[in-house]
Amino acid sequence: MTVAEPQAPTSAVPHLTLHCPACDNYYELQDLAWRCADCHGVLELSGFTPAFPKPADLARRAPTLWRYAEALPLSEPAAITLGEGMTPLVGAPGRPDVRLKVDYLMPTGSFKDRGAVLLAALAGSLSVGRMIADSSGNAGTAVAAYAARAGIACEVYVPESTSAGKVAQLRAYGAAVHQIPGSREDTADAAAQAADDPDTLYASHVYNPFFFHGTKTYVFELWEQLGGRLPQTLVLPVGNGTLVLGAHLAVRELLAAGLIDHLPRIAAVQAATCAPLATAFQAGESEPAKIAAEPTLAEGIAIARPARGAQILAAVRSTGGRIVTVTDDQVAAAHAALARAGLYVEPTGAACWAALSAGLVGEPEGAPDAEVPFAVAPLCGSGLKSKPPTQSPV
């Protein structure tokens, strides 16, 4: 069978800009700006109008995220891509109304490949000499892998407590690893100080909006896999919100294209010991709560000061969704249950299943649909990257 190539934009970097909604400032991509110079606020992508491929076109395309070329702001980087995307959708143990999307089968073992490949493509098109990232592990390993593919020097800042498996993976890709004592926020601050160096792209999965255009493909794939429909509820982990914001972008684009008739609810899941968004959501606040974070098994979502917190709160509320929390004991039990079902994830990857298992997400509305599940949750990161939780029952 011959597979048709996606229709790519006419140039490697179309005329796109970055926009600060708060100050109405615009920045050229070549400026390598990663936040507003005036207010230090987050930037959004401007000048891009997505389209969606026709079903007949999709049928002829390779099963990667680049099948949605018209909806992506950059051309497929042929020398960089690792075939990322179109991960399996499988049944959940004991829950016929739930499906799990196995995103830990991405090339570097996490869903972060979806956004990292766009950042590397952007870096290559801008001919930068260095990429910098900060991460609790998975985003950094994804950026490092694609930087290696692109032949671009890469430095990754991680917390000192990052699991040895992730640090080893980073070094194997050739990245210079900076292990920072203190909190996840201390790591982000250290990376930010280096991000303004000349000829450097801050490949931030938090600040760079190209990343969200990558993670939105999670929902595009889900829409295809469910026959052009979406579940009532998207259950998503939330720390910095890269998957929540990508999913929200995707559902709005699908709605604008007339491919769905309403927005599914987003149920976002935080760790109980580090829950600035859940705390703010319950209080009706529009900004993340100021909290003192405590350690959690779910290290990948342990973010006390999410830079896009206000956006995350607004996105979840716009869908009629909710933000809930799970304890470490619930995460450990969910981790064990998934493993017994043949699904070996890192502890953070069990947080959504923990929320579903505990009944925190809500009940299905209306009569059950045998073809479309009530809820879908991602399995975000491979269990081979992290130590198993010590609380996990034998």
Side-chain angles (χ1 to χ4, degrees):
M1 176 180 175
T2 301
V3 177
E5 291 296 325
Q7 296 299 307
T10 57
S11 64
V13 183
H15 185 70
L16 303 174
T17 58
L18 299 177
H19 175 233
C20 174
C23 300
D24 202 31
N25 290 335
Y26 285 84
Y27 302 88
E28 296 293 330
L29 298 185
Q30 291 79 2
D31 295 339
L32 302 180
W34 59 273
R35 63 183 177 185
C36 179
D38 290 337
C39 72
H40 285 187
V42 294
L43 303 175
E44 303 298 338
L45 186 61
S46 179
F48 174 63
T49 302
F52 204 82
K54 295 178 181 179
D57 293 329
L58 287 172
R60 297 192 299 269
R61 294 183 179 179
T64 74
L65 63 81
W66 298 101
R67 63 197 283 105
Y68 311 112
E70 296 90 337
L72 297 174
L74 293 171
S75 304
E76 179 176 4
I80 298 175
T81 178
L82 288 165
E84 54 284 331
M86 202 48 75
T87 53
L89 188 64
V90 303
R95 288 290 300 269
D97 60 335
V98 174
R99 300 286 187 278
L100 303 172
K101 190 156 169 59
V102 193
D103 253 28
Y104 68 75
L105 293 181
M106 297 287 273
T108 76
S110 87
F111 83 94
K112 296 289 176 61
D113 291 359
R114 296 184 182 277
V117 68
L118 265 75
L119 296 185
L122 176 63
S125 64
L126 296 174
S127 300
V128 300
R130 182 175 69 152
M131 297 171 68
I132 283 181
D134 65 284
S135 169
S136 59
N138 284 332
T141 57
V143 168
Y146 287 100
R149 295 283 291 178
I152 299 172
C154 182
E155 296 184 25
V156 181
Y157 291 73
V158 298
E160 194 173 46
S161 60
T162 297
S163 61
K166 293 176 182 176
V167 173
Q169 188 180 9
L170 284 166
R171 289 180 173 147
Y173 291 138
V177 182
H178 303 276
Q179 294 179 269
I180 307 301
S183 68
R184 175 65 179 84
E185 286 65 40
D186 293 327
T187 299
D189 291 343
Q193 291 180 18
D196 292 325
D197 289 349
D199 196 31
T200 297
L201 176 72
Y202 186 19
S204 170
H205 60 297
V206 180
Y207 283 96
N208 196 307
F210 279 87
F211 198 92
F212 307 118
H213 283 271
T215 58
K216 74 182 180 184
T217 60
Y218 169 89
V219 170
F220 290 167
E221 291 174 19
L222 187 56
W223 176 85
E224 265 199 275
Q225 290 169 317
L226 292 176
R229 299 168 70 180
L230 288 175
Q232 291 182 19
T233 305
L234 298 171
V235 187
L236 303 168
V238 63
N240 274 312
T242 53
L243 194 49
V244 167
L245 293 175
H248 188 242
L249 180 61
V251 297
R252 286 184 290 135
E253 290 182 1
L254 289 171
L255 185 66
L259 296 172
I260 56 174
D261 57 14
H262 68 281
L263 297 180
R265 296 185 309 162
I266 292 176
V269 183
Q270 290 210 288
T273 57
C274 188
L277 297 167
T279 303
F281 187 86
Q282 297 299 327
E285 300 292 337
S286 60
E287 296 284 345
K290 294 181 179 179
I291 64 161
E294 298 177 12
T296 173
L297 292 175
E299 64 177 5
I301 52 174
I303 308 297
R305 300 198 315 262
R308 293 183 182 266
Q311 282 181 268
I312 297 165
L313 288 162
V316 172
R317 288 184 173 124
S318 74
T319 70
R322 63 179 68 179
I323 304 179
V324 301
T325 63
V326 289
T327 66
D328 273 10
D329 285 343
Q330 289 172 323
V331 168
H335 181 273
L338 288 170
R340 298 298 189 273
L343 300 163
Y344 190 55
V345 299
E346 62 178 333
T348 301
C352 290
W353 183 237
L356 281 159
S357 299
L360 302 176
V361 170
E363 297 298 326
E365 297 176 3
D369 189 323
E371 296 181 0
V372 181
F374 152 61
V376 174
L379 302 179
C380 293
S382 170
L384 299 177
K385 294 187 173 203
S386 303
K387 292 182 180 179
T390 55
Q391 295 94 321
S392 183
V394 176

